[in-house]
Structure formats: C-alpha cells, structure tokens
Amino acid sequence: MENNLKFYLDKALKEHFALGAFNFFNMESLQAIIDASLKTNSPAIMQVSESALRYMGEDFVTSLAKTAKKFNPALFLHLDHGKSFEICKKAVDLGFDSVMIDGSDLSFSQNESLTKKVALYAHSKGVLVEGELGQIKGVEDDVDVAVNSFTSPEKALEFVKKTNVDMLAVAIGTSHGINKFSRPPCLRVDLLQQIEKLLPCTPLVLHGASTIDKEIVKTFNDFGGKLEKANGLSQELLKKIVKEHNIAKVNTDSDLRLSFTSQLRKELSENRSEFNPRSYLDKAREKTAQILVYKMENVFYSAKKKQL
Ligand code: G3H
Ligand code: 13P
Ligand code: ZN
C-alpha cells in the first residue's frame, strides 16, 4: 500500500525542510493546524499522544483527522509516544498513517524486539513506524546531567537495521514540556552529525522542539497566569538544525498548548461578560494558527512543499 507520508519524509530529507508534527487536543487546535497548512501550502503531521487519544476518544480523533484530510490531503495522522504493542496496533487498525513506539526506557534488546514487532505489524498494513533510542527527558528533568541518555550513533545504526523503522527519534539534549532548561542547553549537534553519516536515508525526528515564545508567556502571565520558569528551544538553533541536518519531523506540543491557553486568558479577562465559547475559542484558534504559519514558513521551511 502506498504511504504518502513516506513521500514527504523523503522529500524533506532531500530538500532540507521538516514536517511540523503538532499535537492536537480538540477541534479548534486541529483547525489551527489545518488552517496554517493551507495558508502556507505545507504538508504536516497531526499527532495525538495516548492520553490525547483517551481524552478525545478514538472515534472523534479518526473522524476529525478524516475531515482534516479533506481540506488538505498532505496532513497525516500519527500516534505520538505509543508505549505498547497494543496501543500501536490499535492506531494502525484505526487507520493512522504512522505510529511511534517509544521503547526508550527499556534495555536496547527489549526496545529492539518491541519496535521490531510493531514495525512488522504496521508495515503489513502500510503504516510507517517511528522508533526512539536514547531518552528525551520530560518536564523539568535536567538533560545536561544524563550523558548516557543521548543517542549513541553506532547503536542507532544497529537499531534501525534490526528493527526496520522508517523514522528515528534522537535524543540530543532537547526535552519535553514548558520548563526545558535550568541552565543553557548543550545540544549535541555533533551526535546528530554522526548519526546522519551512518544513517543518511533515515528521516530523523526531533522531540521537545517547542520554542516557548517569551511574548506569549508574558500574555499568559499578564492575564492572571503564573508561569515563572517557562523557556524553550532557541528558535535560531532549531532553524539551523532543520536547514543543515536530517531532521524531517519536528514534534511540537507545548507551543500549541501555550498559545491557545494564553489567548483564552486574554480574551476571557478582556471581555468579562462574554459567555459564548465560540467567541473566545475562535480567538484562541486564530492565535494558534498564526503561530503555526510562522513556524511552517520560517522555522520548518515546509511552506510550498505540498505536492499531492
Ligand atoms: O511528548 C509528549 C507530549 O507532549 C504528550 O503529552 O501525554 O500530556 O498529551 P500528553
Ligand atoms: P514540546 O513539549 O517541546 O512541545 O515537545 C513535544 C513532543 O516532543 C511531543 O512528542
Ligand atoms: Zn515527544
């Protein structure tokens, strides 16, 4: 079975752009992704974590994604951080375009056998698989101290050969969430270079790529919020990584959550008698789409890359 996502990942590798992989959590956040992808003529990935899938329910997720594809066929549905064979199988059976099996907290051989099992099943149904090697830290973990959690280039080569994954998430020092770095981050671009030398045809995935715009954090705090330590990946560094390396998929969740919620705070506090959800949700959707347009055009360089 043909998988159009594969076409775009290969194109991204060749032309040095990346597909934004955006986590959505409701209809409005997905509409922001659709809108931005249409405005910029971009391919993009709409992804859900296991908990987002539970939150919206599988019927809503699949029918929302089906609708999104009617607007832009270059939008692909992906399972983010699937932790078991069962959840990946469920996503494959539901018609997702790709799944991530995240066995990164297992031993190499356990990760390898779980990932291989998922890849065998997914590939038999024409679905792509993302694996992860090395650990991408979570909210407020300090990435600098855990040297041994970075992806080893030699192990990455062995892992991709043995598992047959279509994309590999690499741990080079980024972390998930909104409080990323307690001191200036040291991103291991040297490791990325070694990985892509050994695996020149494998699309690599960067997780934890939210940039946490200071202006948006200010809006959040100006309208009653309390985010004291929020900080993200440097936008300049992210641009350089996308332009110069084999990162073909850039995972972004926190930036959508933050733009949506800070705009909601602003709208609710500036229009205190407003009680029609359509009014303030519309503004949150608009703000989020605006942020995504900027990323697609100026950070991921996916604008005008839509072809199918
Ligand atoms: O990478 C993790 C994502 O940000 C998903 O987080 O499980 O709260 O949806 P979540
Ligand atoms: P952020 O928390 O930086 O948005 O990362 C999201 C992510 O990697 C989802 O898999
Ligand atoms: Zn992630």
Side-chain angles (χ1 to χ4, degrees):
M1 193 177 103
E2 192 192 357
N3 188 309
N4 291 333
L5 174 56
K6 172 107 187 75
F7 166 84
Y8 280 112
L9 290 168
D10 290 343
K11 185 175 166 67
L13 269 193
K14 272 192 227 118
E15 298 177 20
H16 282 289
F17 69 93
L19 276 83
F22 305 110
N23 292 66
F24 68 97
F25 41 87
N26 61 6
M27 180 186 75
E28 286 78 7
S29 55
L30 183 58
Q31 285 173 325
I33 299 168
I34 300 169
D35 191 29
S37 76
L38 289 173
K39 280 202 172 109
T40 60
N41 218 15
S42 285
I45 293 172
M46 34 188 188
Q47 60 186 16
V48 283
S49 61
E50 289 192 41
S51 52
L53 190 57
R54 271 197 304 277
Y55 174 77
M56 288 179 277
E58 55 194 61
D59 286 342
F60 277 107
V61 166
T62 50
S63 52
L64 284 170
K66 203 170 153 201
T67 307
K69 283 168 179 277
K70 279 193 196 161
F71 287 94
N72 180 0
L75 285 173
F76 302 98
L77 182 61
H78 174 82
L79 174 72
D80 189 28
H81 291 283
K83 284 297 211 182
S84 64
F85 174 77
E86 291 68 29
I87 185 71
C88 291
K89 179 177 184 302
K90 177 182 276 235
V92 168
D93 295 344
L94 284 169
F96 280 47
D97 297 286
S98 55
V99 297
M100 176 187 191
I101 175 68
D102 177 359
S104 61
D105 52 355
L106 303 174
S107 69
F108 182 88
S109 67
Q110 286 170 326
N111 188 2
E112 179 206 314
S113 62
L114 176 61
T115 305
K116 204 159 148 183
K117 187 174 168 190
V118 170
L120 271 174
Y121 185 74
H123 289 161
S124 75
K125 310 276 181 186
V127 172
L128 303 187
V129 176
E130 174 183 340
E132 178 176 331
L133 194 64
Q135 275 190 297
I136 297 145
K137 295 289 178 174
V139 182
E140 299 196 50
D141 284 335
D142 192 335
V143 287
D144 293 345
V145 292
V147 176
N148 63 2
S149 66
F150 290 122
T151 305
S152 140
E154 292 73 26
K155 287 281 175 200
L157 175 64
E158 188 184 342
F159 186 76
V160 170
K161 276 194 176 158
K162 286 184 165 160
T163 59
N164 207 15
V165 286
D166 308 280
M167 308 169 243
L168 181 71
V170 290
I172 57 165
T174 56
S175 66
H176 290 115
I178 204 159
N179 302 319
K180 291 198 188 297
F181 307 108
S182 54
R183 62 181 105 127
C186 131
L187 279 207
R188 296 290 308 272
V189 176
D190 58 316
L191 284 183
L192 189 54
Q193 273 165 336
Q194 291 174 46
I195 296 167
E196 59 204 7
K197 217 176 234 173
L198 295 174
L199 289 165
C201 301
T202 303
L204 302 175
V205 183
L206 190 70
H207 284 244
S210 281
T211 50
I212 316 293
D213 188 298
K214 294 239 169 323
E215 272 304 302
I216 300 178
V217 174
K218 184 174 178 328
T219 304
F220 188 95
N221 288 335
D222 283 351
F223 293 97
K226 194 165 190 274
L227 281 176
E228 281 160 353
K229 298 188 290 184
N231 67 71
L233 187 60
S234 141
Q235 188 163 272
E236 288 313 307
L237 187 52
L238 180 54
K239 280 182 180 183
K240 197 167 147 59
I241 287 178
V242 169
K243 258 242 159 316
E244 296 176 6
H245 297 279
N246 285 4
I247 298 290
K249 172 174 180 278
V250 176
N251 279 25
T252 311
D253 183 356
S254 301
D255 279 341
L256 280 86
R257 296 178 182 198
L258 181 65
S259 60
F260 201 90
T261 309
S262 64
Q263 197 63 30
L264 275 185
R265 284 198 165 281
K266 182 171 187 305
E267 296 303 323
L268 289 170
S269 116
E270 284 180 346
N271 306 288
R272 293 170 68 93
S273 58
E274 183 57 78
F275 70 100
N276 181 352
R278 291 201 302 262
S279 155
Y280 48 82
L281 287 173
D282 179 44
K283 296 289 190 308
R285 174 170 64 183
E286 221 172 86
K287 181 70 189 178
T288 305
Q290 195 188 316
I291 302 291
L292 298 186
V293 165
Y294 184 84
K295 283 184 186 288
M296 289 176 186
E297 286 179 341
N298 305 297
V299 186
F300 304 154
Y301 307 106
S302 61
K304 303 202 186 82
K305 296 292 186 182
K306 178 176 158 236
Q307 233 168 275
L308 297 170

